[in-house]
Amino acid sequence: MKFRQLTIALSLTILSLSLLSSCSSTEEKAKKAEADKKVRVPEDDKADSLYLAYNPAKGDKWIAGFVQNLHKKYGFNGNMLVAKNGKIIYEKAVGWANYLLRDSLKINSEFELASITKTFTGVAIMQLVEAGKLNLTDDVKKFYPDFPYDGITVELLLSHRSGMMNYVYFIDDIWRKEKRDMKKGVSNQEAMQVIIDRKPNPYTKPNNRFHYNNSNFMVLGAIIEKVTGQRYSQYLAEHVFKPAGMKNTHVYSKSEYEKIPVDVIGHDRTWRYSVAQNFLDGPVGDKGIYSTLHDLVLYDKYLRNGRLLTEKSLDSAYKGRNKPVKGHFNYGYGWRIFDGDKGKKVVYHTGWWHGFRHIYVRDLEKNIVIIFLGNLTNGSLMQLDDLYKHLGVPVIRKGAYSGAGSLPGSDED
């Protein structure tokens, strides 16, 4: 009897170990498959080349006419592209890269992305969350013990709910009053030290309300550097640009470069002068990434196929974390959100910095990408309603909905 009980117990133990081993093996295979999916292989280059192929003779003629009118009537100067279902249906470079030198823009010209950079910072943060290197609930003081504000978490920074002041105006005021070097770029770590030393008054209490400002993503850029031990530029190059095949995308900071090595210059609205780079082109994370139309199409591709982030992380990033404006407009983790009817969702971001003005729109349901990268700050990107209607995507302009409302980039970027 005892022998029989011992045999049964032994059999059950072996069965349990076998099941445990099988589960463990399945989990390991799943993890390996997920890891393999994130590794770039030689075949990706060929696939990306086909993905970006464009035949001007087959371009959307309506969009061609629209862009021509946008240039002639409203003064759009820049590069634009529309892709649908993984195929470019129209692209165009219009105008000058540098008006003073009369250099024309090329389709592969690199633009300072301004606040579109925030989407990349959000992706990097969510990668580090996936890797277990930080948590959304982590307080900034975990990384910077002398940080002068309590209760500001990574999540509040991502969703613009920290209540911080805008470091751009604060530091600009100090540099001008104290006659500091206006040409040498300030690094993220130096900007953090200024905040720690000067303790500027916050705009409001943490998690009190949505307040868009660059401080949130500059601090996130600094946290990325603290957690990884790398410069922001290094981390983004290795973990975002390289796996997505973005070969013409870089982080350029005036704290690392005496002169930013690109040919596209930002201009004021009347062409009277080009906007000079200065010490505020040093901090990155809120801005500082330079890229091209085609690389931004690849960015969309590799976000969609799960190489850069898991579906769970993307769902979190694309979920509005604030009270919707006009019932549709919101902000997630580094992405502006338009929540349409029946679960239809568009994620996008605008950009406005030192003579650059952009909009990057991704209709997740229709698989449409719309990109306008401009280097002349005028109101031309407020005139895109007819293009949105032509493509059947929501009009990304708050004033087009009930009541008055701010326009993309008018006061938020």
Side-chain angles (χ1 to χ4, degrees), residues 400-413:
Y401 296 84
S402 59
S406 63
L407 303 174
S410 59
D411 63 354
E412 296 181 323
D413 283 309

Side-chain angles (χ1 to χ4, degrees), residues 361-375:
V361 179
R362 303 170 58 226
D363 187 315
L364 300 181
E365 184 195 37
K366 291 181 178 290
N367 194 5
I368 291 175
V369 181
I370 304 167
I371 310 168
F372 281 82
L373 302 178
N375 64 326

Side-chain angles (χ1 to χ4, degrees), residues 177-246:
K177 285 180 179 177
E178 298 182 2
K179 293 182 171 50
R180 298 197 186 189
D181 186 348
M182 305 289 278
K183 292 183 179 180
K184 188 179 186 304
V186 179
S187 70
N188 286 58
Q189 302 307 324
E190 288 169 334
M192 290 296 288
Q193 195 59 51
V194 171
I195 292 171
I196 289 169
D197 292 341
R198 301 297 182 105
K199 301 176 176 54
N201 291 328
Y203 176 76
T204 187
K205 294 179 180 178
N207 207 24
N208 184 44
R209 56 164 291 189
F210 174 80
H211 174 57
Y212 182 98
N213 85 73
N214 287 316
S215 292
N216 296 306
F217 281 75
M218 183 282 290
V219 174
L220 288 171
I223 289 173
I224 289 169
E225 293 183 337
K226 276 279 187 176
V227 169
T228 64
Q230 295 178 295
R231 294 195 304 272
Y232 177 88
S233 56
Q234 293 174 312
Y235 180 86
L236 268 290
E238 290 178 20
H239 297 273
V240 181
F241 307 155
K242 185 177 179 180
M246 300 172 70

Side-chain angles (χ1 to χ4, degrees), residues 37 53-54 66 74 76 128 130 134 140 143 153 165 190 271 277 321 406:
K37 188 168 66 173
Y54 173 65
F66 174 85
Y74 297 104
F76 172 69
L128 294 173
E130 287 182 1
L134 58 76
V140 176
F143 314 102
T153 64
M165 80 305 150
E190 288 169 334
W271 293 114
Q277 301 158 357
R321 304 289 168 172
S406 63

Side-chain angles (χ1 to χ4, degrees), residues 118 158 160 210 212 320-322 330-332 334-336 349:
K118 292 179 173 69
L158 282 170
H160 288 294
F210 174 80
Y212 182 98
R321 304 289 168 172
N322 299 282
N330 212 318
Y331 203 96
W335 292 95
R336 295 186 182 278
H349 217 292

